[in-house]
Amino acid sequence: MTATALPDVVACLRSLHSPPRTSAKEPRLKGGLAFPQLQNNKLPILGRGYGIGNRCFTTCYRDPSTESGGSVLGVSQIKEKCSKWQWKGQYSINYFVSSSSSSNPPLLLVHGFGASIPHWRRNIGTLAQDYTVYAIDLLGFGDSDKPQGFSYCMEAWAELILDFLNEVVQKPTVLIGNSVGSLACVIAASESSQNMVRGIVLLNCAGGMNNKAVVDDWRIKLLLPLLLLFDFLLKQRPIAEAVFERAKQRDNLRNILLSVYGNKESVDDELVEIINGPANDEGALDAFVSIITGPPGPNPVQLMPIINLPVLILWGDQDPFTPIDGPVGKYFSSLPLKSSNVSLYMLEGVGHCPHDDKPDLVHQKLLPWLAQVTAL
């Protein structure tokens, strides 16, 4: 998920990312196979296909996940398979692994702001049928350490991901991230010098760790003083405590999640508890303040052009935080026309967390893409 605090702050933050919506309708599908040589070997599809130059576009794929019996895992089931890894010899990092006998490259799932490993509860069962699936709680979230005084930044999370690949997974891995988790994957892929990243999947990628991301949009520049004021207020401990206590109340969390999800039925009690539980840990408040008030980190606009790996972008069209018609969304939606290694699919009626919002739509696009990547 993306960084936010209160329901009334949500409306303000929306305007930072998105210009006013227009009634103009753009094509809902902007997908392309990143590997034209595999066009004749792809999985069966439904719908009509068409070509542009050496690239292939399709209306939809069949969803193998609906045929293979993928199930939703409970939080307790996920936690039973979690282990601890010491990062840099001082930070305890919580991670999940579901082993598979398949020779396919492993997958690493990276959550967004405020979330944790169980946020992938609707995906792990399906993915684990053909892949060894890892998932990680980033430092400051879930059951990983929340060290006092740590200065959180995107670069630290990217370093954490790369160290995890080198020390724990020890194989070239496909990274799958949501929101700031996506951005951490982009940074990690851009910095990987040991070919440990096989490909990346971005689910509504964030433009920065928080809403101060530098984007060439006059609306953001105009509201920057307001963001700086909000940062100043959060650095006052009593104010920060009041904001955080209100933000993590279950009713407020539910309302925020309902505004973020397209499929309201996915906002269940378990989801609220997934977000609320770790927020009560010692150090959670400090992590919240540090992330909201810290530097936004590297901009994906500068990083994506240097990534030559296979990239799949899945974007929920009902996302209020990084809408497709906002600066970040517009940039990513333009990538398939510029880079042959990038595929993009719009997911209708889906919000900021597509994998938990409408997992079947995500699996419908993700599984065939993974099959292409593993065939290389």
Side-chain angles (χ1 to χ4, degrees):
M1 296 179 63
T2 192
T4 187
L6 301 173
D8 51 338
V9 174
V10 170
C12 173
L13 298 185
R14 287 181 185 175
S15 65
L16 304 183
H17 286 293
S18 175
R21 292 182 179 271
T22 64
S23 58
K25 296 290 185 181
E26 296 185 2
R28 306 308 301 166
L29 177 65
K30 296 183 180 180
L33 293 179
F35 317 104
Q37 69 271 25
L38 295 176
Q39 289 179 17
N40 295 328
N41 299 320
K42 62 181 180 288
L43 293 172
I45 60 173
L46 301 174
R48 299 178 61 86
Y50 59 96
I52 298 179
N54 67 342
R55 304 182 63 210
C56 176
F57 295 73
T58 59
T59 55
C60 63
Y61 281 105
R62 71 173 172 85
D63 185 359
S65 68
T66 62
E67 303 169 8
S68 53
S71 59
V72 178
L73 297 182
V75 173
S76 60
Q77 291 177 282
I78 293 174
K79 291 190 173 184
E80 286 174 359
K81 290 191 174 184
C82 284
S83 302
K84 299 293 185 180
W85 164 64
Q86 288 298 115
W87 182 44
K88 295 183 178 294
Q90 57 181 323
Y91 304 121
S92 178
I93 301 300
N94 187 55
Y95 74 94
F96 167 96
V97 59
S98 179
S99 299
S100 169
S101 59
S102 171
S103 60
N104 291 329
L107 314 177
L108 175 60
L109 312 180
V110 186
H111 63 80
F113 178 87
S116 56
I117 293 170
H119 203 208
W120 301 99
R121 57 191 171 145
R122 304 184 197 274
N123 317 108
I124 291 173
T126 296
L127 297 175
Q129 295 174 51
D130 295 305
Y131 302 90
T132 294
V133 178
Y134 291 86
I136 193 170
D137 281 342
L138 294 173
L139 190 72
F141 295 112
D143 289 330
S144 288
D145 278 354
K146 303 168 182 65
Q148 298 285 344
F150 188 88
S151 296
Y152 292 89
C153 63
M154 292 303 312
E155 294 90 339
W157 287 332
E159 183 182 4
L160 167 61
I161 290 171
L162 290 177
D163 288 346
F164 184 80
L165 295 183
N166 288 321
E167 297 180 23
V168 180
V169 183
Q170 298 183 340
K171 291 181 180 179
T173 302
V174 176
L175 305 180
I176 303 176
N178 172 226
S179 190
V180 294
S182 283
L183 181 54
C185 292
V186 170
I187 300 170
S190 70
E191 295 180 350
S192 177
S193 58
Q194 300 179 17
N195 299 319
M196 290 300 289
V197 181
R198 186 72 175 268
I200 55 176
V201 179
L202 310 178
L203 304 170
N204 287 62
C205 186
M209 186 172 72
N210 50 49
N211 292 283
K212 297 190 296 297
V214 179
V215 179
D216 188 18
D217 185 271
W218 65 270
R219 298 167 185 84
I220 294 178
K221 294 177 180 178
L222 184 64
L223 290 172
L224 185 58
L226 182 60
L227 288 174
L228 296 177
L229 174 60
F230 187 60
D231 285 358
F232 172 78
L233 293 175
L234 279 183
K235 290 179 180 178
Q236 315 308 309
R237 190 76 180 186
I239 296 177
E241 289 176 348
V243 169
F244 191 60
E245 285 301 316
R246 182 180 174 187
K248 70 180 185 180
Q249 290 176 3
R250 286 179 173 81
D251 287 344
N252 287 335
L253 279 177
R254 187 181 300 275
N255 289 333
I256 293 173
L257 290 165
L258 286 170
S259 74
V260 169
Y261 276 57
N263 179 18
K264 309 307 179 185
E265 293 182 358
S266 291
V267 181
D268 53 19
D269 291 340
E270 189 170 64
L271 175 60
V272 173
E273 188 57 35
I274 288 171
I275 308 298
N276 173 265
N280 293 308
D281 292 346
E282 183 178 356
L285 171 60
D286 288 344
F288 171 80
V289 172
S290 178
I291 292 166
I292 295 293
T293 62
N299 193 313
V301 174
Q302 279 77 49
L303 298 178
M304 288 302 298
I306 67 176
I307 294 177
N308 296 317
L309 299 164
V311 178
L312 174 64
I313 302 171
L314 300 177
W315 212 279
D317 70 344
Q318 299 298 314
D319 184 355
F321 292 123
T322 51
I324 196 62
D325 59 356
V328 176
K330 283 183 176 180
Y331 170 74
F332 277 104
S333 67
S334 70
L335 279 181
L337 298 178
K338 302 174 183 177
S339 305
S340 61
N341 62 310
V342 177
S343 300
L344 167 71
Y345 292 98
M346 291 297 301
L347 305 179
E348 294 192 14
V350 179
H352 187 65
C353 308
H355 59 292
D356 191 54
D357 194 328
K358 291 189 177 179
D360 287 348
L361 292 184
V362 170
H363 299 157
Q364 186 180 50
K365 306 304 180 185
L366 174 59
L367 295 178
W369 182 87
L370 287 173
Q372 291 180 8
V373 170
T374 58
L376 292 179

